Amino acid sequence: MKTGLFVDILMMAVDSIRSNKMRTFLTVLGVVIGVLTIVAMVAVIEGINGSFAKEIESMGANVLFVSKYEPGINVGRPSEEIRRRKKLTVADAEAIAANCESISAVTPELQFFRFLPPVKVKYLGREVENPQVYGDNHLYLQIYESYSIDQGRFFTEAENRSRAEVCVIGAELVDALFPNGNPIGKEVQLDGRTMTVIGTFARLGKFMGEARDNYFMMPSETFQKFYPGERNVFIMAKVRPGFTMERAKDEIVNLMRVRRKVRPGQPNDFAVFTQETIQGLFSKLTGAAFIVMLVISSIGLLVGGIGVMNIMLVSVKERTREIGLRKAIGAKGREIRNQFLYESMILTLGGGIIGIVLGVAISFLIRIASGLPTQVNPLSIVIALGVSTGVGLFFGIYPAAQAAKLQPVESLRYE
């Protein structure tokens, strides 16, 4: 097709669309919603996956985790085997450190959960409810590399063994309890117990809208003194340079099976996993969410496509005399067909562009309003444009073919 003829057909399609603005908008509304959903959801999922990957990497390289449960297991409705599992203990962490040649550092992590009455940290007249209360040993910062000390210091091995009543607090607690002063050396009250602040963590900010600076950390032995009933331990182990993750994992698994008296042939009643395991599980969850949203957006695109087909069939009826006149003066069937195809493609392409703009805007609004990380992927924009144009092409074929089949004499007689 010559360029001039292509431009003429294109301009005729645009004029036809402009003459029925409201009908055009209602026709492409389904396409707008479908494309908007795709762009916004891809931006949110890409942002969350990227942020989660950085968070996992910040834990430090070559770290193994030992837990009572496998990642992602349904502890809300546990099986009989899961209910019978023994808790991990601080002694398990000490055994790993003493007997696994491939492990350079181990920390047992204990956390205290209580909502009623809420846990409170107080200093003078100020207080913070429900901080994240943890117990770890002196090697925590060697393993969890994303955390560092801002003021003061971390607790020592001697303080851990002597059950010293000292703590390191996050930036959020510093802001709330010591807005105008230095917290180092100050005594705070945790559930009525007096503890001395010896250090503060550097500010991390939020992750997926959740605060990461409201930590209240004490030595693990002190934690057990204060909360003797909290015995479930999550163990983090750093793999020694020169050793593989697989060897370290095998050493830990063999040791734990002996300690927990797991018979040969029986499955483990504990889990040893890596950062990649956690990231893979998270990617599966976000992938499932994306599939659900893709189905929803596909329904929107399908509705939009049907709307385009319907409005193009109406347009063919309304312009029957125009088609007959054009054929009478020499227009070919393929030119008529192309005109209506271009018109339907312009309809859906325009809807796609509107959907992309709204999707990008909504992704930024989500980031501002909820704190969720978002990342607009240029590939998703290209795909959205291609899909919206393809919808117009697919659903425009039948109306365009009907227009091309009209006979000039019959069309000129049409009222």
Side-chain angles (χ1 to χ4, degrees), residues 363-393:
S363 70
F364 281 110
L365 288 176
I366 290 173
R367 180 191 299 178
I368 295 169
S370 67
L372 286 174
T374 59
Q375 180 179 328
V376 178
N377 190 335
L379 180 60
S380 68
I381 293 177
V382 173
I383 292 174
L385 286 174
V387 168
S388 60
T389 305
V391 166
L393 177 61

Side-chain angles (χ1 to χ4, degrees), residues 53-78:
K54 290 180 181 178
E55 178 69 11
I56 291 295
E57 290 172 3
S58 71
M59 290 180 178
N62 299 328
V63 177
L64 285 169
F65 305 96
V66 188
S67 174
K68 180 180 176 180
Y69 305 113
E70 291 78 7
I73 197 168
N74 184 4
V75 296
R77 300 177 63 182

